[in-house]
Amino acid sequence: MRFSKIFIPTFKEAPKDVVLKSHEYLVRGGFIQQIGSGIYHFLPLGKRVLDKIKSIVKEEMDKAGANEVALGFVTPASLWQKSGRYQRYGKELLRFNDRKDNAFVLGPTHEESVTELVRANVKSYKQLPLHLYQMNIKFRDEMRPRFGLMRAREFIMKDGYSFHSSFEDLKREFDLMEQTYSKIFSRLGLDFRAVFADSGAIGGSGSKEFMVLAKSGEDTICVCDTCQYGANLEAATRKQVMPSTDAPQAEFAKFHTPGITSIEALADFFKITPFWTLKAVVKRAIFDEGRSALVYFFLRGSDVLNPIKALNAIVGANELVEASQEEIKEVGLIPGFIGPFALRNLTNSPYIYFDKELQDAKSLICGANALDYHFVGVDLSTFEGLEYKDLIEVQVGDLCPVCGVSKGGELYFTKGIEVGHIFQLGTKYSSAMDATFLDEMGKAQPFVMGCYGIGISRLLSAIIEQHHDEKGMLWTQATTPFSVDIMVSNIKDSAQLEMGEKIYTALSAEGIECLLDDRGERYGAKIADFELIGLPFGIIVGKGLEKGEIEFVRRKDLSKQVLKVSDFRALIAGLKEWISKCH
Ligand code: ATP
Ligand code: MG
């Protein structure tokens, strides 16, 4: 392709309010252009990258046995009413009516559409499993579209949906998709982790996110310094923490602790570490139709409650909010002295949860539900019917749940960009939408479903967030719009232009994608564009040609090599070898 013929509007200045380098460079480099808030055009360079990403995704998805389709973007609202999401989805769902006053939505995701498609066409277990995917436009009316393609309103997603006759088969597909996604992101040249994600009611390993590691990532992820373990904060677990100090030696007793209302003060008072104290956290849970109730969480004084784990512990709760001291006093409790003794009787609450690391914990000190008193020598194994849940937020330095014992791996936090999400949906949508098949016994069963997303357009931003320098972008081998930028320093010099054309023709014939900068621009402008656009290699045909020399530049480190053109065939063979090896 010739630079003079391809539409690449580049800019020296960054657009206003730009925060991320990927946003700045993609716009300045002429890859994308904004047309409205969170809505972007893809220009030729951006489109080429998009197509490269899509073709890798397609290759790997097809290899895994999935079928590509293209589902209607405008979706009848009736489908969303059937699943119940028409009301629930919130303002991100753009709802509108047509001229006949029929209601529609712009698809932010396509579980409803695909479930209806399969419901109408798949009747028997013999037709399963089935995996349908597409790479198509999505619309989400995001509250704060930002960072260019990273959080757009209109964006491109690969969304796949699989249908199974059993949970075992879904698990098999889920594992296959985990492998497939790993191949895709490796081929794209990305440093990434597959992390356990919160999957609400489904729990366990029902959901994984693929995170591109980048300082600018919006998500905090918890990873192991030794193995591949990774998880979102709300899904991260650890090897159970063991005491680092001796247990306080005390028989069970009520102790006068005047004015001791914090964990620090309590630990100080008894000369113990907070590990041996029991912390009570009281919140208000909001349920459907505005019903609310106080909820009680207990964890070791040395631990911190994770709000999402806490919310997931309560069946049916939609939100947790702070509980005021007054609300707590109203139910007869004394802030600072709350403990598990007689709590159920006092409060009448069914919502009392203990962190699972407290299972059968002994030698604890906790509030006595009486002003200025704590109990010492508390043994939780003597309580009956305590409900244990994973409630704690892991901390830097906690031991990895996978290799903490065998290899001493420690957890730390890093930042990631979510580029993919795989999810074991189960029968959530099929049950709601009456989508059933006949099993081997001839009995109607709801399809067991999985869904699998990749942020195709977000990937452009993610690649650049991970691969750029202060001058511009650094495309990876698999995603670069062209491999080489052949810059003719001065097109008025016919020898230079001729040599540029000759190299362009020869390399193109070798299957190398070249951009020939044959514009009447200054040399400086060409180099600046080369650095900004970030093709992996440049060839400079300039003054040196008088001595029979050209320059070969590697974009990554801007290192230069002078090459002789006298033996042209050897030159092309050498260039070809470097280009394939030097990435
Ligand atoms: P996020 O947490 O970033 O809002 P999500 O969890 O809502 O994303 P999914 O529903 O899992 O997103 O969608 C699948 C993929 O689509 C995501 O992993 C992400 O890469 C991409 N994606 C989601 N929302 C956007 C957006 N507003 N702009 C660009 N890509 C997006
Ligand atoms: Mg997600």
Side-chain angles (χ1 to χ4, degrees), residues 50 93 121 166 245 258 280 286 293 300 383 390 471 480 564 567:
L50 203 57
L93 182 66
N121 295 283
S166 69
T245 53
I286 314 286
R300 287 195 185 268
F383 285 69
D390 177 19
K471 295 195 159 155
T480 188
K564 293 272 178 212
D567 184 348

Side-chain angles (χ1 to χ4, degrees), residues 168-216:
E168 294 72 59
D169 197 49
L170 165 62
K171 181 70 175 60
R172 177 202 50 74
E173 188 77 7
F174 182 81
D175 293 343
L176 175 64
M177 279 301 117
E178 181 171 352
Q179 288 165 23
T180 303
Y181 275 36
S182 296
K183 264 191 230 156
I184 290 170
F185 297 125
S186 302
R187 281 184 65 184
L188 293 174
L190 287 165
D191 186 11
F192 68 95
R193 287 256 180 148
V195 304
F196 290 100
D198 166 45
S199 42
I202 291 172
S205 56
S207 165
K208 275 194 166 180
E209 286 173 355
F210 286 78
M211 295 286 183
V212 167
L213 305 182
K215 282 192 222 84
S216 59

Side-chain angles (χ1 to χ4, degrees), residues 15 34 43 101 130 218 251 287 317 319 382 384 394 450 558 568:
Q34 185 172 345
L43 308 185
D101 219 23
L130 177 64
E218 276 191 292
E251 294 293 310
F287 299 86
E319 199 189 343
T382 61
E384 266 178 29
V394 299
L558 295 175
F568 191 75

Side-chain angles (χ1 to χ4, degrees), residues 209 418 420-421:
E209 286 173 355
E418 183 192 321
H421 194 170

Side-chain angles (χ1 to χ4, degrees), residues 89 92 108-109 111 138 140 142 145 148-158 209-210 218-219 417-422 452-459:
Y89 204 89
E92 281 181 21
T109 173
E111 282 82 2
K138 295 278 178 277
R140 292 183 184 178
E142 297 272 355
L149 300 177
M150 197 73 92
R151 186 163 300 283
R153 293 198 299 162
E154 186 183 275
F155 59 98
I156 300 170
M157 197 200 285
K158 188 287 291 179
E209 286 173 355
F210 286 78
E218 276 191 292
D219 293 289
I417 300 168
E418 183 192 321
V419 291
H421 194 170
I422 57 175
Y452 318 92
I454 293 182
I456 300 280
S457 50
R458 181 181 281 184
L459 270 167

